[in-house]
Amino acid sequence: MSLPMRKVTLTVNGKRHDPLDVPEGMMMIDVLHEMLGLTGSRLGCGIGICHACVVIWDKDDKTSEEVQTCITGVEFFDGKRIRTIEGIAETNDRGEVTLSPVQQAFLDKFSFQCGYCTPGFVNAATVLLERLKRSPVAKAEVEATVAAALEAHICRCTGYVRYYQAVRDVILATPGLTRDSA
Amino acid sequence: MSARRLLRWTAIAVVVVAAALAAFVSARLLSGKTGGPVQVVKASPDAVARGKYLAEAADCAACHTAPGGASYAGGLGMASGFGTIYATNITPDPDNGIGRWTSDDFWQALHDGVRRDGRQLYPAMPYTSYRGMTRADSDAIYAYLMQLRPMKVANRITELEFPYNIRLGMLGWNLLFLTDDLPATSTGSSAAWQRGRYLVDVLGHCGECHTPRGPLGEMELSRSLKGFALGRVAAPDITPAGLAARGWAPASLGTYLSRGIAGPNSAFADMHRVVVLSTRNLTADDIAAMTTYLLGDKPPAPAAETVGEGNQAGRTSYVALCAGCHGLDGKGIPNTIVGLRNNSTLRLADPRNLIVATLDGIGPQNFPHRMSLPGMPGFADKLTDEQAAALVNYLRAAWGGQKPDVRPSNVQALR
Amino acid sequence: MSGLSRRRLLRTSLLGGIAVYVVPLGSRAYAALVDDRLLTAPAVDNGSLKYRVDGRAKVTGGKVFARDIRARDMPHWPQQQAHALALRVTMADRVYAGFDLSMLGADLRPDRVVTAADLARDGFAFPDFYGTDMLLPEGKTPAYLGQAVALLIFHDFARFRFAKDKLQFNDAVIRYGAVTGPLQRDPWGAGRFVRVGGKTPADGDVFSSTRQAPLYISTYDKHRPAWPKPSRDGDLGEQAMFYAQAIDEELTRPPADWLVVTRDYATQSADTAALEPDNANGWYDAARQELHLVVPTQSPQEVAEGAAGMLANSRLGLKRLFLHPCFTVGYGSKDHSPLPYYGLIAAAYGDGRPVRLAYDRFEHFQAGLKRHQFSMRYRIGVDRKTGLMQAFQADIVSNGGGRANCSDALTMVAATSAASIYYFPKTDVAATAMSSRALDCGSARGYGALETLAATEIMADEVAGELGLDPIELRLRNVLKTGMKNAQGAVPVGQQRAETVLQKAAAHVLWTGRVARKQAYNAANPGRYYGVGFGCIQRRFGDGAQCSLAKVELSADGLITLAHTGTEIGTGTSSGQAVACARWLGRPADVLEMAATDWPELPVETSGNPHAMAQEEQDRLAKNPRWVPAFASASSASNSAYYFTHATQAAARVVFLHGLLPAAVAIWGREVKPEAARWRDGALTAEGFEPLPLARLASDAHARGLVTGATVHVFNRWQWAEAEFEIDGARVRLPVDALSLRRGAAKDWRVLDRRAVFLPPTRNNNAMVGYNTCVGTLVEIAVEASSGKVLVLNHHTILECGNMLVPELVSGQMQGCLASGIGLALHEEMPLYEDGPGNGTWNFNRYYLPRGGDVAVWQQTAEVLPPLSDSEPPKGMAEVVMIPIMAGIVNGIAHAIGHRFRSLPVTPERILKVLG
């Protein structure tokens, strides 16, 4: 086979994958699914609309951002650190899993049904919480902030209400994410 | 909306006019009217329909309808370096709109840039182009507007700082720059060409964005339609030579004006609004007339498609960030993603729009006939100036037939 | 290959000579096969469910979907995953003349190409249900747009991916020959439901589907139904037409005090847009003559039977089929979907490698089952003075596209649902399921009723408007009350609660305040026009032949195991069934096995078509005590809450009555009536006796050899089958038609042959409507005149659904359905033919799905009517909630701008056209 190949180094969920040989032009979602066995980042549309495939890009400046893996080539992630849905919960040495506050809230509130879009919502909400930690938002602005952060994500089962409410409640219950006044 | 008309003219116009002030005692100012009877306009349905068509051709809504606001009730703000100018309510509301205006008053605003109260309009209102409108067309638009539902939406006060807020200053500006005829930008004599000239130069007021502006904010008529950056996204050169160099022919241009998408090209930024609000509504004959005028009775041959070699660093970024949608070969996806091969924006000599699109992205857009394009993410935080310049150079060289001469500083300047 | 040794743990059935093992991913059986667990034990808080049982896996990105599975996840499969794609035609008006892969060059050539010729040679053909030409042979005109012509198989992912890049959207791949025009074919089905009631709703019918018969025809004239000639004294069909003609004449020349309103309505072709695109992954092991298939399906039983039949008819000589149904989501599109069979074919030609056939969104749009497009002409005659509706005439045409699938049945459901919550003395509803070159349509959420009911509710407002009546008042005057006959002449089961829903809506502030709110809103928002609309429907759930098996077992330490034939489709079926055990066992099941298909505990036999069999045939077959009218139903038709729960609770009840209660009575030392016993905090108590924890009772039941496990089969044809069994020396009548028991710690199950059986009569098939759920939605909208957008400001939904199993799941279902209804009312739409999804270029850019900002996410409210009693069963409610908001939005737009839209969706372009 004579496809042009590239070497990329990825750090996924804290694990460094030393140079992977990938064909030029492979999308990140395909590398996650077919090479790394991480299938939680889901293919919904393949053209960057539905956001079921987003991962979290941890930037060097300590900020984080959602990136759609269905339209972003693996080359972009060369040398970068990302978190996928499989790396959001914490697993201790004994293999016990502690869900993140967002995951726990989605579970508590029955936020999802089929769960196909859930990884995208978890990652979007996680990025939002991390942003609010750096720059808190007025309590009165929380609902609008949640809506803006999740608006791009498509859900077909539960009509968004339980996702949005869960994220709002986590934000309001987490010290340091909100301010009392504008 | 971004600054559709960056009001550079205000700066110097005021200086000019400060000198001229004493010389001109405005008869018009003295003749200004307030109060007066509410006008009742009777017009046949046909006349109203014609007025509606003309109002769309003149794209009145682009400024006089604010996003989310009532139709023609004004409120759209146009930012300038000197403050913000707000388009006014032109519904027939007697107190907020033009309910007391006569067709003469309306004509005076379109033709001379003077409001019913005698005060000068700023040329954010393109009377500089509308001046060529026939009285009959002005009356038809007036008749249409006067039968709209009156909207009680107060006009926002234009927020220009002193001395730019002296409207009288525009008298001198008009004396210098207001002209009856805009020069033709193509060669032709056919009826279609004549009609097209009227649609492009007068109703469509294309030159207000596409013609470069001089130091006083005036249209530089010697360079009509040669392209200008009033706002963040530049209006490109739409002279016959400029269009042909980017591969435009009458058919593709007509498709673009009526549907907003033609081959690898889709309207974005302000031009998207122009298509959606204005040109999509035009008849096939009028679209053909516009393309006839824009390209001339004898259109120049469109430049052939070119494929070149791009730089490797740029290609790496292309593969990483762009190929997922636009394809490794730049062909895009039918009905979904525009192609980049010979895309008009890549074929512009000025890299500005390509840089801006790369940095800012383009939001999801709806087009006529239920067509929609998904949003394109911006890559401002994913590309350094060097990477962005390399990417833009790759695109220009590979599929635009342009020199890869963009420097990181060009990108930096647009961040 | 370690898993293979564990096969003895798996359960088998023999279909067409092939041993079929159905092993759902995430099941205990699968865990035994590959050491994996996806379902967590239910977390219980005070007897109610804290989390969905599949929640943890889903929220951590676990491999729960078939889409997530690769060869490497199947330890007993070869690890090299091959990938397949389908080539499809994008034109259906000319001859298909082969394909051209030259653009792939040598590098990207597929390793295997499968065409119709291969299938013919190897004896592969679709199960009958799906029709012919699984792959279209060269030289034929495609039956429909998007029809598959070939499968290309690549042994590695990279070449698959880059070859697909070159083939997809490439018009040069498929070659065409002469233009023939599209195929013209007869409809997939046509039927007519005529009723002329007696003097009052309580009197016997003069003529009705239930009393006489529905009219189904199979003769067509120029592809249109050839209805029989009307005759009062003719056969039943001719009689039906006689009464239909009389109704038509009365509506055409109505009495002076009648108002007759005639309207045409249309609903759009749509995609259910399940986010998981269709897929399958299969491995054909030629050495062992085995085929393994991982599939997302709402109907694993159907796939098991279909696949086994298909393989048995082939020249493959297969011995064993392993089917792994997964958690999935389809909203009907993965019920009786052809995709698993394409996956099977791909696997069969995998040259020993597992082959994955996974559509991307473009392909899913091009190949997934679609929602039927409907056109409806309705005529209603109403008495001007009383506002009472007198006659309803409907001509309903659905477009079923290129394959029959369920179009016929679905369209008959559409027809028999159309009268909704209203009582009409006379009805004539004719329905035709057209064939066309559009994509094949399936059982999309609502199953036909969504379309006809939405139209009925839009029309109700139009009739009210013509009469000058308040729309809810008109509905109240005409609402079907308990005991009244529906349009088929059947009396719906149970108390009819539409009236209550209507009364609640009429009193709600969104309705009572609508005039004042409109004034205030319009004044405050120039250019926007406020409106409030309402819709109220009732919708049957189930399909007239609902059946399932459930097994409830207690271990000696009180662990509850539930096995059920129902499949989890994302709606929470598994959670709901776990909880359903609590009524009799004090807490939800601890261990769940959903989608179980093999039941050695209770080997039942089935034959015949439960929808169509004659009474004599049923009577004859029922003499065999192991015979049941049908085996197990797919997860669809909103059936889990009511029908699946019936099986679970019937089994749990037997364990309670014949295991736990006797154990408790022995400890307490006194006889206690079952209804006096109560579960409190996981312990059984009665009349002040010592509370006995489940574990103690279970251990006691095990020790005493009492019943510790019950497996039941249940059947419902608009009423439950019942049978008598002898248990502990007493004759017991149970709402099941087959039963087996396990006693004490015994491993073996004993089947109790029924002593008598009371199957619902076959004439119930004519009624077609038995159980209803009712829902009404008030919706507050504003039309933005400049853009034509409709803003959904708020909505309030009133639902009755009996006792809720898991209230959080019910509310989540409602919220999801409301969003879907908003999508169909305002956004979702595709052309049927050449510009439609068959061209392979459709995705979510043009097919807009509602986002959070479109559904009044922070404002919306809902209420669920309290159940009539503690023992009222839970009722199916999923898809019904989609419907009233669709009509409510259209009615609200009429309130806002005075224009009544009659075709969906109401897009900005259509609004702008009206506003001028």
Side-chain angles (χ1 to χ4, degrees):
Chain A
M1 185 173 67
S2 59
L3 294 170
M5 301 297 282
R6 298 280 175 270
K7 284 198 188 307
V8 293
T9 300
L10 307 174
T11 304
V12 181
N13 302 328
K15 186 177 169 198
R16 194 179 148 94
H17 297 269
D18 266 328
L20 290 169
D21 283 312
V22 295
E24 182 190 83
M26 190 78 94
M27 289 300 113
M28 184 64 178
I29 194 169
D30 291 332
V31 173
L32 289 173
H33 287 186
E34 312 305 331
M35 298 179 74
L36 304 184
L38 299 171
T39 52
S41 310
R42 300 246 163 66
L43 181 92
C45 66
I47 54 170
I49 294 176
C50 78
H51 286 68
C53 69
V54 297
V55 297
I56 301 175
W57 169 30
D58 285 310
K59 303 198 221 179
D60 292 338
D61 65 1
K62 309 278 188 209
T63 64
S64 54
E65 181 181 321
E66 291 175 66
V67 184
Q68 298 115 301
T69 56
C70 71
I71 56 166
T72 308
V74 62
E75 288 91 341
F76 172 73
F77 296 94
D78 188 16
K80 293 187 170 68
R81 288 172 295 130
I82 63 164
R83 279 172 284 163
T84 70
I85 183 64
E86 291 89 347
I88 299 297
E90 284 184 18
T91 307
N92 67 14
D93 299 343
R94 282 173 299 172
E96 293 161 351
V97 176
T98 308
L99 298 181
S100 77
V102 169
Q103 288 173 315
Q104 190 62 49
F106 286 169
L107 203 53
D108 290 344
K109 304 267 183 212
F110 290 73
S111 295
F112 52 88
Q113 280 185 14
C114 85
Y116 200 79
C117 66
T118 307
F121 275 92
V122 168
N123 287 344
T126 303
V127 165
L128 172 63
L129 261 58
E130 288 166 358
R131 174 159 68 81
L132 295 182
K133 207 176 215 173
R134 298 190 302 273
S135 49
V137 67
K139 281 200 165 68
E141 300 293 315
V142 168
E143 288 191 352
T145 304
V146 170
L150 302 184
E151 177 71 11
H153 287 256
I154 293 179
C155 165
R156 286 293 276 169
C157 290
T158 54
Y160 305 100
V161 177
R162 289 170 171 274
Y163 274 131
Y164 281 43
Q165 289 176 348
V167 178
R168 175 193 64 194
D169 294 353
V170 170
I171 291 171
L172 290 173
T174 308
L177 302 186
T178 52
R179 290 178 278 113
D180 281 330
S181 63
Chain B
M1 189 172 90
S2 64
R4 178 130 182 232
R5 282 171 253 286
L6 186 67
L7 304 171
R8 272 204 308 161
W9 42 266
T10 351
I12 308 164
V14 166
V15 180
V16 172
V17 168
L21 244 179
F24 295 101
V25 174
S26 172
R28 286 190 180 121
L29 179 66
L30 298 175
S31 72
K33 290 172 282 187
T34 53
V38 174
Q39 300 297 313
V40 178
V41 178
K42 288 208 173 75
S44 69
D46 282 355
V48 169
R50 204 173 87 81
K52 177 177 193 286
Y53 180 80
L54 291 164
E56 286 165 354
D59 205 5
C60 308
C63 294
H64 288 281
T65 303
S71 298
Y72 296 111
L76 190 85
M78 278 167 281
S80 78
F82 319 104
T84 303
I85 296 179
Y86 291 98
T88 54
N89 184 337
I90 54 169
T91 70
D93 186 75
D95 305 317
N96 304 292
I98 60 170
R100 298 177 202 278
W101 290 38
T102 64
S103 61
D104 285 347
D105 297 334
F106 191 75
W107 164 252
Q108 178 179 267
L110 261 51
H111 194 258
D112 300 327
V114 176
R115 307 197 315 202
R116 180 167 181 269
D117 65 5
R119 300 182 71 186
Q120 298 295 318
L121 288 164
Y122 292 109
M125 161 70 185
Y127 60 88
T128 35
S129 293
Y130 290 161
R131 188 173 179 83
M133 199 184 296
T134 65
R135 177 64 196 248
D137 283 358
S138 169
D139 287 354
I141 294 175
Y142 170 77
Y144 164 65
L145 293 173
M146 292 302 282
Q147 60 77 53
L148 292 175
R149 195 189 288 245
M151 285 291 151
K152 292 203 183 312
V153 178
N155 287 309
R156 297 188 65 177
I157 307 299
T158 286
E159 296 156 354
L160 296 189
E161 289 164 17
F162 183 81
Y164 315 115
N165 56 354
I166 302 173
R167 286 178 179 268
L168 206 55
M170 293 318 302
L171 278 175
W173 192 91
N174 287 344
L175 199 69
L176 288 172
F177 301 124
L178 193 58
T179 170
D180 284 348
D181 286 308
L182 301 176
T185 52
S186 70
T187 312
S189 59
S190 66
W193 187 90
Q194 304 284 357
R195 172 69 178 166
R197 182 177 184 182
Y198 182 69
L199 284 162
V200 168
D201 283 344
V202 178
L203 292 178
H205 59 281
C206 305
E208 300 285 340
C209 290
H210 286 273
T211 296
R213 291 192 181 265
L216 303 186
E218 79 285 12
M219 289 192 279
E220 283 186 9
L221 299 182
S222 62
R223 297 200 288 146
S224 283
L225 304 188
K226 279 187 173 300
F228 189 63
L230 260 174
R232 183 154 172 82
V233 174
D237 183 342
I238 54 169
T239 61
L243 287 167
R246 303 198 303 281
W248 292 99
S252 57
L253 196 56
T255 304
Y256 179 85
L257 290 172
S258 51
R259 306 182 78 108
I261 301 177
N265 306 302
S266 67
F268 63 103
D270 290 348
M271 192 59 200
H272 174 256
R273 259 174 83 77
V274 170
V275 170
V276 167
L277 294 172
S278 176
T279 54
R280 68 172 296 185
N281 300 307
L282 299 186
T283 62
D285 283 350
D286 275 350
I287 289 289
M290 285 181 85
T291 61
T292 302
Y293 174 67
L294 285 168
L295 289 163
D297 269 346
K298 290 186 183 134
E305 302 194 345
T306 58
V307 177
E309 277 285 313
N311 70 85
Q312 188 52 49
R315 179 170 170 87
T316 300
S317 288
Y318 179 80
V319 170
L321 294 174
C322 315
C325 291
H326 294 288
L328 281 172
D329 56 6
K331 282 188 176 158
I333 302 172
N335 297 318
T336 310
I337 305 284
V338 294
L340 295 181
R341 267 172 193 254
N342 300 291
N343 181 298
S344 183
T345 298
L346 272 63
R347 300 178 88 176
L348 280 169
D350 181 353
R352 179 189 181 95
N353 286 359
L354 190 53
I355 295 171
V356 168
T358 304
L359 294 176
D360 300 359
I362 299 172
Q365 291 177 316
N366 293 328
F367 291 87
H369 307 285
R370 297 278 279 154
M371 182 58 69
S372 293
L373 296 181
M376 165 180 155
F379 300 111
D381 66 340
K382 294 191 177 71
L383 294 170
T384 63
D385 292 343
E386 287 74 18
Q387 288 170 326
L391 172 58
V392 167
N393 281 331
Y394 170 76
L395 296 171
R396 284 166 65 85
W399 298 316
Q402 294 294 326
K403 287 199 200 97
D405 54 1
V406 176
R407 293 186 308 276
S409 59
N410 301 131
V411 176
Q412 176 59 40
L414 285 165
R415 278 195 190 264
Chain C
M1 296 282 161
S2 65
L4 293 179
S5 61
R6 299 199 180 107
R7 275 188 193 164
R8 56 193 168 75
L9 297 176
L10 306 180
R11 293 188 267 176
T12 324
S13 57
L14 208 62
L15 293 167
I18 294 175
V20 180
Y21 302 75
V22 179
V23 189
L25 251 61
S27 66
R28 273 200 309 160
Y30 183 78
L33 191 67
V34 300
D35 293 321
D36 197 1
R37 299 269 319 248
L38 294 169
L39 296 180
T40 44
V44 183
D45 193 13
N46 281 332
S48 66
L49 197 70
K50 270 171 77 183
Y51 318 128
R52 329 169 34 99
V53 296
D54 51 6
R56 266 185 102 81
K58 286 181 172 178
V59 85
T60 53
K63 289 178 183 287
V64 295
F65 289 91
R67 181 123 200 145
D68 301 336
I69 301 302
R70 301 293 184 281
R72 70 162 83 180
D73 301 308
M74 307 299 284
H76 51 300
W77 288 16
Q79 300 300 286
Q80 172 70 42
Q81 177 77 64
H83 296 266
L85 62 86
L87 298 182
R88 296 177 184 282
V89 294
T90 54
M91 288 191 271
D93 62 346
R94 58 200 71 197
V95 168
Y96 160 65
F99 54 86
D100 175 6
L101 301 181
S102 61
M103 65 284 289
L104 296 180
D107 283 346
L108 298 175
R109 242 194 333 245
D111 295 298
R112 189 75 161 88
V113 175
V114 185
T115 65
D118 296 294
L119 302 191
R121 185 192 62 232
D122 298 333
F124 281 116
F126 259 147
D128 287 344
F129 178 79
Y130 298 95
T132 58
D133 289 342
M134 187 174 188
L135 295 175
L136 182 70
E138 281 181 39
K140 283 180 94 166
T141 299
Y144 58 101
L145 294 153
Q147 188 167 10
V149 299
L151 293 176
L152 311 188
I153 299 170
F154 300 83
H155 286 170
D156 66 285
F157 181 76
R159 283 185 314 122
F160 158 77
R161 188 69 201 79
F162 292 103
K164 187 172 171 185
D165 271 0
K166 292 204 183 296
L167 297 171
Q168 201 169 19
F169 317 121
N170 188 338
D171 290 337
V173 176
I174 305 290
R175 288 193 298 250
Y176 298 95
V179 173
T180 58
L183 295 190
Q184 301 296 323
R185 291 180 290 171
D186 279 345
W188 301 123
R192 196 155 191 151
F193 306 87
V194 182
R195 173 175 178 265
V196 174
K199 279 209 160 45
T200 73
D203 289 322
D205 289 338
V206 175
F207 187 94
S208 71
S209 300
T210 303
R211 183 152 180 257
Q212 278 82 12
L215 168 55
Y216 298 116
I217 61 160
S218 52
T219 52
Y220 299 95
D221 177 21
K222 297 197 180 83
H223 311 302
R224 300 196 164 277
W227 303 111
K229 282 210 163 62
S231 164
R232 181 198 286 269
D233 309 312
D235 62 24
L236 288 178
E238 290 163 341
Q239 286 179 40
M241 291 309 295
F242 169 81
Y243 290 105
Q245 188 180 47
I247 291 170
D248 185 70
E249 276 166 14
E250 192 166 25
L251 285 165
T252 307
R253 282 176 289 279
D257 46 358
W258 280 27
L259 167 74
V260 174
V261 182
T262 306
R263 296 287 186 268
D264 289 309
Y265 299 95
T267 60
Q268 69 271 46
S269 168
D271 193 287
T272 63
L275 278 190
E276 182 199 17
D278 243 341
N279 65 92
N281 197 347
W283 170 46
Y284 170 50
D285 179 352
R288 290 193 179 83
Q289 289 300 290
E290 295 174 354
L291 199 140
H292 305 248
L293 195 61
V294 175
V295 283
T297 175
Q298 295 174 243
S299 48
Q301 186 65 29
E302 183 268 327
V303 178
E305 287 171 13
M310 188 169 158
L311 288 162
N313 292 334
S314 77
R315 290 188 191 91
L316 218 54
L318 202 80
K319 294 203 179 89
R320 281 175 289 274
L321 168 68
F322 291 82
L323 190 69
H324 301 293
C326 294
F327 285 80
T328 190
V329 56
Y331 318 115
S333 68
K334 291 186 183 114
D335 180 6
H336 288 75
S337 156
L339 185 276
Y341 304 100
Y342 287 109
L344 184 154
I345 291 294
Y349 293 95
D351 296 331
R353 292 165 179 80
V355 183
R356 180 170 183 256
L357 174 66
Y359 295 158
D360 64 23
R361 182 57 55 184
F362 293 104
E363 295 169 305
H364 186 89
F365 265 110
Q366 192 178 23
L369 292 174
K370 296 290 169 282
R371 177 180 290 285
H372 291 71
Q373 190 272 325
F374 271 79
S375 304
M376 294 150 281
R377 165 159 291 194
Y378 284 178
R379 219 150 48 133
I380 289 178
V382 57
D383 186 303
R384 289 177 195 273
K385 283 200 284 291
T386 61
L388 289 177
M389 300 201 270
Q390 303 298 319
F392 176 49
Q393 185 190 50
D395 185 6
I396 296 165
V397 178
S398 74
N399 187 329
R403 293 191 184 276
N405 204 286
C406 63
S407 292
D408 183 12
L410 176 143
T411 305
M412 298 312 121
V413 169
T416 53
S417 304
S420 188
I421 59 168
Y422 305 109
Y423 177 75
F424 294 96
K426 296 170 188 169
T427 44
D428 168 28
V429 181
T432 310
M434 263 170 57
S435 66
S436 76
R437 68 188 187 283
L439 275 67
D440 36 343
C441 297
S443 54
R445 221 176 191 186
Y447 207 74
L450 176 136
E451 288 79 7
T452 52
L453 284 169
T456 303
E457 276 306 276
I458 296 170
M459 183 140 183
D461 263 43
E462 297 212 41
V463 171
E466 297 279 327
L467 291 173
L469 267 182
D470 175 290
I472 297 184
E473 172 60 24
L474 175 84
R475 287 171 170 85
L476 278 165
R477 288 189 195 179
N478 289 283
V479 71
L480 188 87
K481 299 187 176 75
T482 307
M484 286 182 172
K485 290 187 201 66
N486 66 19
Q488 286 70 248
V491 178
V493 179
Q495 187 165 338
Q496 300 304 299
R497 303 189 72 187
E499 191 172 11
T500 311
V501 171
L502 291 172
Q503 286 162 344
K504 289 225 167 224
H508 193 275
V509 64
L510 280 181
W511 191 251
T512 57
R514 67 192 193 282
V515 174
R517 287 162 85 103
K518 178 172 178 165
Q519 271 177 358
Y521 184 93
N522 288 356
N525 298 278
R528 288 186 182 175
Y529 300 93
Y530 177 98
V532 172
F534 176 68
C536 180
I537 61 119
Q538 62 189 13
R539 163 86 170 97
R540 77 181 216 199
F541 51 93
D543 64 357
Q546 283 288 327
C547 43
S548 48
L549 284 131
K551 177 182 76 168
V552 171
E553 269 182 297
L554 271 176
S555 71
D557 49 2
L559 207 66
I560 306 169
T561 299
L562 169 69
H564 204 290
T565 48
T567 305
E568 175 62 66
I569 53 170
T571 54
T573 301
S574 46
S575 302
Q577 292 312 305
V579 167
C581 293
R583 181 165 169 212
W584 295 106
L585 305 180
R587 67 153 202 268
D590 302 286
V591 180
L592 281 178
E593 183 184 347
M594 300 304 294
T597 50
D598 307 312
W599 295 83
E601 301 90 347
L602 184 54
V604 290
E605 298 164 24
T606 186
S607 56
N609 177 351
H611 289 286
M613 70 177 48
Q615 187 64 43
E616 304 78 59
E617 185 188 2
Q618 175 166 294
D619 292 343
R620 180 173 51 78
L621 291 166
K623 286 188 179 124
N624 171 0
R626 303 283 173 94
W627 181 85
V628 294
F631 185 67
S633 299
S635 284
S636 60
S638 300
N639 58 2
S640 79
Y642 181 80
Y643 297 100
F644 290 180
T645 300
H646 180 85
T648 300
Q649 292 194 334
R653 181 167 171 263
V654 169
V655 172
F656 175 79
L657 288 177
H658 302 281
L660 299 178
L661 189 62
V665 163
I667 296 168
W668 290 330
R670 246 182 71 188
E671 206 53 46
V672 171
K673 285 190 174 153
E675 52 274 22
R678 289 274 180 284
W679 288 101
R680 292 262 186 282
D681 300 328
L684 190 69
T685 179
E687 299 163 8
F689 290 127
E690 174 196 0
L692 301 169
L694 176 64
R696 182 168 167 199
L697 290 172
S699 131
D700 215 57
H702 269 257
R704 290 169 190 268
L706 298 169
V707 170
T708 54
T711 300
V712 301
H713 182 271
V714 301
F715 173 74
N716 185 300
R717 185 189 280 132
W718 308 123
Q719 70 192 78
W720 288 109
E722 297 186 1
E724 290 182 357
F725 302 90
E726 205 161 296
I727 307 178
D728 300 330
R731 253 205 175 186
V732 184
R733 182 156 169 160
L734 297 174
V736 307
D737 58 5
L739 171 72
S740 71
L741 298 179
R742 195 195 74 177
R743 286 175 181 278
K747 286 209 177 73
D748 296 334
W749 288 75
R750 219 188 101 227
V751 179
L752 277 65
D753 282 334
R754 62 195 180 215
R755 299 299 168 87
V757 66
F758 311 93
L759 294 172
T762 57
R763 77 181 297 133
N764 281 16
N765 282 328
N766 293 348
M768 292 193 73
V769 177
Y771 304 96
N772 284 320
T773 301
C774 179
V775 60
T777 296
L778 288 159
V779 55
E780 189 181 33
I781 59 101
V783 175
E784 189 177 276
S786 60
S787 64
K789 280 187 196 149
V790 176
L791 315 171
V792 176
L793 304 174
N794 194 3
H795 45 90
H796 179 76
T797 295
I798 304 155
L799 170 73
E800 62 98 13
C801 64
N803 274 288
M804 289 184 280
L805 289 168
V806 185
E808 292 84 356
L809 288 176
V810 170
S811 108
Q813 275 277 1
M814 286 173 73
Q815 290 153 356
C817 285
L818 290 161
S820 294
I822 290 169
L824 288 174
L826 296 175
H827 304 292
E828 299 173 39
E829 181 181 32
M830 298 178 294
L832 275 165
Y833 301 121
E834 279 68 21
D835 294 331
N839 71 13
T841 70
W842 276 77
N843 205 317
F844 295 152
N845 53 317
R846 284 191 288 171
Y847 196 83
Y848 181 88
L849 298 172
R851 310 295 207 274
D854 299 313
V855 303
V857 73
W858 302 113
Q859 289 78 26
Q860 60 176 272
T861 53
E863 62 186 296
V864 178
L865 297 189
L868 294 166
S869 71
D870 286 352
S871 62
E872 189 188 11
K875 301 213 259 181
M877 49 67 58
E879 51 206 357
V880 295
V881 184
M882 284 176 76
I883 307 169
I885 195 169
M886 295 169 60
I889 286 172
V890 174
N891 293 338
I893 293 169
H895 182 220
I897 61 172
H899 182 85
R900 295 190 186 279
F901 286 91
R902 301 192 181 105
S903 88
L904 297 181
V906 185
T907 59
E909 297 205 354
R910 287 175 189 147
I911 296 253
L912 287 176
K913 208 166 180 185
V914 165
L915 292 179

